[in-house]
Amino acid sequence: MKHFRSISEAGPDALRRLLDIADHMAEVNRRPNPKVPALRGKTVCNVFFEDSTRTRLSFETAAKRLSADTMNFAVSSSSVNKGESLRDTIETIAAMGIDAFVIRHKSSGAPWQISQWTTASVINAGDGWHAHPTQALLDAYTIRTALNRTDSFDGLRIAIVGDIKHSRVARSDIQAFTMLGADVTLVAPKTLLPPSLDGFDPVTVTTDLDAIIGDLDVLYLLRMQRERMNEALVPSLREYTSRFGLTPERAARLPEHALIMHPGPMNRGVEMAVDPSELPGSVITQQVTNGIAVRMAVLFDLLGSGANLEAES
Amino acid sequence: MSSEKQVLGPDDVRRAVTRMAHEIIERNHGLAGVALVGLQRGGVWLAEALGAEIARIDHPIPVGSIDASLYRDDIGLRPVSPGSVSDIPFGVDGTTVVLVDDVLYTGRTVKAALDAITDYGRPAAVQLAVLVDRGHRELPIRPDFVGKNLPTSSSEQVVATAEGVVIS
């Protein structure tokens, strides 16, 4: 694989391979000395045009644990503020000899554009509302390990709740979960659903969380972006919580084995109206831990597995 | 050229495993602080077979497995994909680790395994047990326990399992 830009582009074989490699990386991360020499001499550049703490730190940690060198490009202190174009910025960094770019950008499709300007591998760390494939990978890996579903997600009932319309996490998660065989239900007010579900993988849609919560294997809560309030897409945050938030009453109705997931950052008291540390099914901290392992898997697959050479020769 | 030749049968392999188990016990004076580590993937069955035989003859010792693909010197030169996950269920510090592999060839896999095992700690000593030594070493590595020395040409393939050893 040359690039990792979306789950659908990678396809089911790569998705399963990356989850398998992540098992090895998770083992590395459990060691007292969590570092291997696999990517010595490779350089990974994080280029974040949008704010992020966990994704950028996670990629940086992943690269370092594989012994790659890392560079961070922070837009706020860069020549972008002097009017440098995206293309010039990328070509300048590429000229320094970069093996992989990790890109976050507010425009959907930016990673595809950027890969036309460089011979380096491009990893999408979130583009607009479009895709966030390493988040989907870590979510799938977390479900796979927590529910011991190594082979497939056949028959797993997963609900993704919240602002589907503006969520790249939801789009990538839907692709990954359905690719692995899960039954995915989207739960949201109509104003927070995309205008059309054309192009989405087959999913069920409902506005009634209480009708399905007793049958779920995974409850995936999305962040309720407060800035949406200005757009009058929900009447009030309290109204949102009462219909779509995880309240103590709803937590009590979840099956005992069900997982509770959230991509972070969390809005406590809005979509998460209980203390997640008191929920036995919460795997939110495991999601963060697993993020490093799956990003190591992606970096190793792109830069270390030799698969590119095979494709190019 | 594609003809297969069976060099050892299942009984030969069983006898070789028994002999190697005795040699490991003898060399290590009663097995204090000795553990077996099979190299993923081909060495794992042999480490388990040696572990079972040593337990039968003397007493059980820890058996683990290690995947060295993140330590190989040919990363990026040819496709490598990690096999099964490493499992080292004992402390490596001060342990005599017997690395176990099915076939010893260039020695590069063993070199990667040496790098990998020392990331878990500082072994008291590392020894090497292989079912087949087929020659063609490219590094200064030699086995301590050998099931069978088997001269081969580098164009041949050697497959060693509990069912026997086959050259093709």
Side-chain angles (χ1 to χ4, degrees), chain A residues 16-301:
Chain A
R16 285 170 206 277
R17 180 177 73 242
L18 290 168
L19 294 173
D20 287 342
I21 298 174
D23 272 336
H24 293 258
M25 302 307 178
E27 191 273 331
V28 170
N29 291 336
R30 286 193 296 270
R31 298 181 197 169
N33 171 13
K35 187 156 178 147
V36 290
L39 295 185
R40 270 179 309 186
K42 304 285 186 185
T43 305
V44 177
C45 187
N46 291 314
V47 185
F48 279 64
F49 290 91
E50 268 189 352
D51 294 340
S52 161
T53 44
R54 69 189 68 213
T55 305
R56 192 182 60 72
L57 286 175
S58 183
F59 267 109
E60 186 164 357
T61 306
K64 289 189 159 134
R65 289 191 176 172
L66 292 169
S67 301
D69 295 314
T70 58
M71 304 200 320
N72 281 294
F73 175 85
V75 171
S76 55
S77 59
S78 73
S79 295
V80 170
N81 290 337
K82 300 177 190 166
E84 189 177 56
S85 73
L86 176 61
R87 179 172 186 161
D88 286 341
T89 302
I90 294 298
E91 287 181 348
T92 301
I93 302 171
M96 297 178 190
I98 300 299
D99 297 288
F101 282 103
V102 177
I103 305 283
R104 170 165 291 186
H105 200 281
K106 64 182 186 304
S107 301
S108 297
W112 282 263
Q113 187 72 61
I114 285 166
S115 45
Q116 294 180 350
W117 299 329
T118 171
T119 55
S121 291
V122 173
I123 299 168
N124 186 357
D127 63 326
W129 299 351
H130 174 239
H132 192 357
T134 59
Q135 177 74 42
L137 205 55
L138 77 87
D139 289 334
Y141 185 73
T142 301
I143 294 170
R144 174 171 130 136
T145 49
L147 294 179
N148 200 12
R149 288 292 205 116
T150 307
D151 293 330
S152 86
F153 287 4
D154 282 349
L156 271 191
R157 282 158 303 195
I158 303 177
I160 302 175
V161 184
D163 185 358
I164 313 285
K165 183 179 179 181
H166 304 97
S167 173
R168 57 192 172 211
V169 172
R171 281 177 179 74
S172 289
D173 271 349
I174 291 166
Q175 289 176 356
F177 297 164
T178 55
M179 206 175 264
L180 293 168
D183 297 327
V184 177
T185 303
L186 308 181
V187 188
K190 290 208 162 60
T191 48
L192 293 180
L193 283 168
S196 155
L197 287 169
D198 292 349
F200 275 75
D201 298 273
V203 290
T204 314
V205 179
T206 179
T207 55
D208 189 355
L209 178 57
D210 291 314
I212 60 165
I213 198 162
D215 294 319
L216 292 177
D217 299 299
V218 177
L219 175 65
Y220 197 103
L221 302 167
L222 295 170
R223 187 167 76 93
M224 183 57 208
Q225 297 173 306
R226 286 172 190 272
E227 49 271 33
R228 303 294 168 227
M229 293 309 301
N230 305 333
E231 301 162 28
L233 293 174
V234 286
S236 74
L237 287 180
R238 189 181 304 168
E239 161 87 10
Y240 178 84
T241 305
S242 73
R243 290 186 59 202
F244 301 102
L246 183 58
T247 56
E249 297 74 42
R250 289 202 177 96
R253 290 194 51 220
L254 270 173
E256 209 168 304
H257 72 277
L259 306 180
I260 297 156
M261 303 177 69
H262 193 293
M266 237 181 309
N267 285 318
R268 288 181 189 260
V270 184
E271 72 270 7
M272 186 64 77
V274 281
D275 181 354
S277 64
E278 288 174 10
L279 298 171
S282 168
V283 288
I284 295 168
T285 52
Q286 283 97 308
Q287 287 176 272
V288 177
T289 306
N290 290 337
I292 295 171
V294 300
R295 290 176 176 119
M296 289 167 77
V298 170
L299 288 167
F300 180 73
D301 197 62

Side-chain angles (χ1 to χ4, degrees), chain A residues 21 23-25 27-28 31 33 35-39 300 303-307 309-310, chain B residues 67 69-71 75-88 116 119-120:
Chain A
I21 298 174
D23 272 336
H24 293 258
M25 302 307 178
E27 191 273 331
V28 170
R31 298 181 197 169
N33 171 13
K35 187 156 178 147
V36 290
L39 295 185
F300 180 73
L303 302 182
S305 74
L309 294 158
E310 202 175 34
Chain B
D67 166 55
S69 40
L70 298 173
Y71 295 82
I75 280 176
L77 297 179
R78 60 166 202 158
V80 288
S81 59
S84 301
V85 178
S86 300
D87 176 25
I88 307 292
D119 264 5
Y120 288 84

Side-chain angles (χ1 to χ4, degrees), chain B residues 4-168:
Chain B
E4 286 195 357
K5 195 171 95 189
Q6 177 116 8
V7 188
L8 298 182
D11 291 341
D12 301 317
V13 172
R14 202 158 45 241
R15 279 191 289 273
V17 168
T18 302
R19 177 174 52 75
M20 289 166 75
H22 279 287
E23 287 173 0
I24 291 169
I25 296 166
E26 191 179 335
R27 164 89 177 263
N28 290 294
H29 315 293
L31 298 171
V34 176
L36 302 174
V37 173
L39 270 58
Q40 294 280 7
R41 307 179 188 192
V44 175
W45 73 268
L46 183 59
E48 284 166 1
L50 283 169
E53 195 62 9
I54 287 170
R56 189 182 65 78
I57 300 165
D58 202 300
H59 64 86
I61 60 172
V63 180
S65 67
I66 196 156
D67 166 55
S69 40
L70 298 173
Y71 295 82
R72 293 195 63 96
D73 60 3
D74 54 0
I75 280 176
L77 297 179
R78 60 166 202 158
V80 288
S81 59
S84 301
V85 178
S86 300
D87 176 25
I88 307 292
F90 54 88
V92 167
D93 281 333
T95 301
T96 296
V97 173
V98 183
L99 293 176
V100 180
D101 207 358
D102 51 353
V103 179
L104 178 60
Y105 185 29
T106 62
R108 287 175 192 267
T109 307
V110 174
K111 192 257 181 193
L114 285 167
D115 289 343
I117 196 73
T118 47
D119 264 5
Y120 288 84
R122 184 176 185 275
V126 182
Q127 300 166 1
L128 176 61
V130 298
L131 185 58
V132 174
D133 181 355
R134 60 171 293 193
H136 304 282
R137 212 81 72 243
E138 294 168 1
L139 293 170
I141 281 169
R142 70 169 169 73
D144 301 273
F145 313 102
V146 184
K148 183 164 180 64
N149 284 297
L150 194 60
T152 58
S153 94
S154 40
S155 62
E156 290 171 319
Q157 300 266 350
V158 178
V159 177
T161 67
E163 307 308 312
V165 174
V166 174
I167 298 185
S168 57

